[in-house]
Amino acid sequence: MMNLIPRSATRRTDRMDAVNLPTLWRELAAGVAEPAASKGLTVDLRMADDAVMVGDADALARVFRILLSSAVHLSARDTCITVSVHSE
């Protein structure tokens, strides 16, 4: 994966949390439900129940929230936004 932010610009954190991704994505989807519905969008979450990511929980939530909000903002009316998370 490409590093798009210079290392010097990143916030250093020692927080390492086990983040339950299905729970996080459900919360994020609920947060965009109203703007998505106003455009006729649906959000389809395809989640492995055991999907966990280790990292700063707040930072991960912030990044995923930006991605989902952007998807809602940029998607054509009456379409579906699909988020898939798999565990390995």
Side-chain angles (χ1 to χ4, degrees), residues 6-84:
R7 191 173 286 281
S8 61
T10 60
R11 178 176 60 98
R12 179 155 171 85
T13 180
D14 294 326
R15 285 191 53 191
M16 296 299 280
D17 306 307
V19 179
N20 180 292
L21 293 177
T23 299
L24 175 58
W25 278 105
R26 280 191 291 272
E27 291 172 3
L28 295 174
V32 299
E34 187 175 320
S38 73
K39 288 183 70 176
L41 301 173
T42 56
V43 178
D44 179 18
L45 300 177
R46 299 178 183 190
M47 304 281 140
D49 291 334
D50 60 344
V52 173
M53 179 180 269
V54 176
D56 181 323
D58 293 333
L60 289 169
R62 191 169 36 258
V63 168
F64 294 154
R65 183 177 301 110
I66 290 167
L67 288 171
L68 188 56
S69 294
S70 295
V72 169
H73 178 72
L74 298 171
S75 291
R77 297 184 76 73
D78 302 316
T79 58
C80 181
I81 298 167
T82 301
V83 179
S84 298

